[in-house]
Amino acid sequence: MFDRLSSLSESALAKISSAKTSEELESLRISYLGKKSELKALLKKLGVLPAEEKPRFGAAVNDAVKKIESRLLMRRQELLSSAASVKKIIGGVDYTRPGFIQKPGLPHPLISTIEKIQKIFLRLGYGIAEGPDIEDDQHNFSDLNFPTDHPARDAQDTFFIEPIHADNPLLLRTHTSPLQIRVMSCLNPPFAVIVPGRTYRSDAPDATHSPIFHQVEGLVVDENITMSDLKGTLSFFAKELFGPDFKIRFRPSFFPFTEPSAEVDVSCVSCSGKGKISSDCRVCKGTGWLEILGAGMVDPNVFESACRRRGDRVYDPEKVSGFAFGMGVERIAMLTHNIDDMRNFFENDSRFLEMLAS
Ligand code: PHE
């Protein structure tokens, strides 16, 4: 048994020394030291030896195991360092590994929609204004002719910011219209501006609602601005954005800060306004029209709020008039890209952007 042990150990050491790969080393380790190895089998036969031989044989087996283990370790390191020199591992970095694919970024459809809208109005000579996402009640509601406790406030479920100050609480703006007040506080008429920005309402997310969304507001103030200026502007805008065959229609509506007010529809992007003729159109439910924005003539009370803030009569509603409109960016992006669920915009799935870009 002693002879068998030493020949086993010799052949193991020789084979390990000439192993060429770490896989080969691993299979040698299993065959010489594994559970089913001959060494383990020899150890089991310990019982047949005379009592005085047992400790010597046990020690010899341990010795052989240690030698084989340390040779395995040595050879593994030799193989690794020669592999490293082939692979040019420098300072622990393997420069031969394939690199990570750096995908170029893609524009988000909400941002590119805002940019498209901006471009159209910039060509008409509009300026761009921006304002804070955290507003106060006065800019968001009171100065826009929403009386306290008026039900019109209920249409805009609001995130208030604690601690709630009773006279003028802070809130996340529910629309971009507070910028009407902010712009008139610092600009003299005549002017034409649009205001892109993020807006917030306490709505549960679903296919057509999100607590965070985007709007683009428009405000034009001058002498003798009329409803036909508003119609002409929005008709031009719809044709530029959707295509020359698209029409708009005005439906009477109500907003506290415009009088008269209208909801504006564009011909259905899916059935091109055929509506009832192809009444199976699911996008416009057979009406041929899709609502895209709210608009109207600036209410004289809003001009009065601006005068109060400024302490002058530059915005005297007897002298100036104006129109305002506000559109939902998500709605427009959904219509132009044929997207049926608003949550796609916020889920951060790069496949969604790739799909739109292709
Ligand atoms: N602020 C209104 C809304 O969010 C839209 C609007 C803007 C309507 C300007 C009229 C004029 O519903």
Side-chain angles (χ1 to χ4, degrees):
M1 271 169 69
F2 279 96
D3 289 347
R4 183 65 201 134
L5 180 63
S6 67
S7 76
L8 205 62
S9 150
E10 258 163 45
S11 85
L13 295 177
K15 280 190 190 159
I16 290 167
S17 297
S18 59
K20 296 274 175 303
T21 64
S22 51
E23 290 78 17
E24 205 179 316
L25 267 188
E26 181 58 11
S27 67
L28 285 170
R29 187 190 66 80
I30 293 167
S31 71
Y32 283 105
L33 300 177
K35 273 190 199 132
K36 292 181 186 147
S37 63
E38 211 184 322
L39 246 170
K40 286 273 147 67
L42 275 179
L43 212 51
K44 277 182 200 143
K45 285 190 198 149
L46 200 70
V48 304
L49 286 174
E52 66 276 16
E53 296 272 332
K54 277 182 191 168
R56 206 160 65 85
F57 188 71
V61 172
N62 277 343
D63 190 47
V65 169
K66 268 193 200 139
K67 274 191 188 142
I68 293 171
E69 276 174 347
S70 73
R71 184 67 61 92
L72 275 169
L73 195 70
M74 225 173 71
R75 186 65 191 146
R76 188 166 294 134
Q77 265 157 5
E78 279 169 14
L79 287 178
L80 270 181
S81 62
S82 68
S85 66
V86 171
K87 280 180 143 188
K88 298 204 174 38
I89 293 182
I90 302 168
V93 179
D94 175 1
Y95 288 95
T96 63
R97 278 181 64 176
F100 294 108
I101 296 171
Q102 295 278 356
K103 289 193 194 167
L106 290 163
H108 193 281
L110 291 178
I111 302 299
S112 57
T113 302
I114 290 176
E115 280 172 357
K116 263 190 232 158
I117 297 169
Q118 285 182 169
K119 263 192 196 152
I120 297 170
F121 284 103
L122 284 173
R123 279 174 53 211
L124 289 175
Y126 283 58
I128 298 175
E130 283 186 348
D133 289 17
I134 298 178
E135 265 297 358
D136 55 29
D137 188 278
Q138 209 145 22
H139 283 94
N140 197 83
F141 292 123
S142 311
D143 281 0
L144 289 170
N145 199 32
F146 286 80
T148 320
D149 299 329
H150 192 277
R153 290 183 177 222
D154 295 347
Q156 305 196 356
D157 260 336
T158 311
F159 289 115
F160 286 96
I161 292 168
E162 291 182 323
I164 297 174
H165 302 287
D167 51 339
N168 189 18
L170 288 179
L171 46 83
L172 293 178
R173 65 178 177 192
T174 56
H175 50 175
T176 40
S177 301
L179 263 292
Q180 294 186 19
I181 302 296
R182 290 192 180 275
V183 168
M184 286 193 277
S185 300
C186 60
L187 278 189
N188 288 345
F191 70 80
V193 292
I194 52 164
V195 183
R198 209 169 275 169
T199 46
Y200 308 81
R201 289 188 200 173
S202 177
D203 288 325
D206 64 22
T208 53
H209 293 88
S210 161
I212 302 178
F213 56 105
H214 298 75
Q215 290 189 336
V216 176
E217 186 89 5
L219 179 65
V220 174
V221 182
D222 198 351
E223 288 170 10
N224 302 320
I225 295 285
T226 67
M227 193 93 171
S228 52
D229 296 314
L230 172 62
K231 277 190 142 177
T233 303
L234 293 179
S235 169
F236 175 81
F237 166 71
K239 287 182 198 302
E240 287 294 302
L241 189 69
F242 295 103
D245 298 331
F246 281 80
K247 294 198 177 87
I248 55 164
R249 75 168 180 185
F250 277 46
R251 278 180 293 109
S253 185
F254 171 78
F255 298 103
F257 40 94
T258 46
E259 183 61 34
S261 301
E263 246 145 359
V264 181
D265 299 340
V266 67
S267 343
C268 175
V269 293
S270 180
C271 66
S272 313
K274 289 193 195 75
K276 283 277 183 285
I277 306 163
S278 65
S279 57
D280 53 346
C281 179
R282 287 196 302 140
V283 178
C284 64
K285 302 197 178 74
T287 63
W289 296 99
L290 296 167
E291 185 190 323
I292 53 161
L293 54 85
M297 302 307 292
V298 178
D299 192 291
N301 285 344
V302 175
F303 284 136
E304 290 296 349
S305 302
C307 291
R308 250 193 326 276
R309 277 198 181 264
R310 296 169 55 108
D312 64 23
R313 298 298 298 163
V314 166
Y315 285 97
D316 183 348
E318 297 295 324
K319 284 191 238 148
V320 295
S321 58
F323 65 72
F325 56 83
M327 62 188 92
V329 177
E330 281 75 5
R331 171 98 174 132
I332 291 184
M334 285 166 87
L335 294 177
T336 50
H337 291 102
N338 203 10
I339 296 162
D340 59 7
D341 194 325
M342 195 160 164
R343 286 167 290 197
N344 285 317
F345 292 127
F346 306 106
E347 273 170 1
N348 245 357
D349 187 336
S350 60
R351 290 170 302 178
F352 171 64
L353 300 184
E354 280 156 21
M355 204 178 77
L356 291 184
S358 59

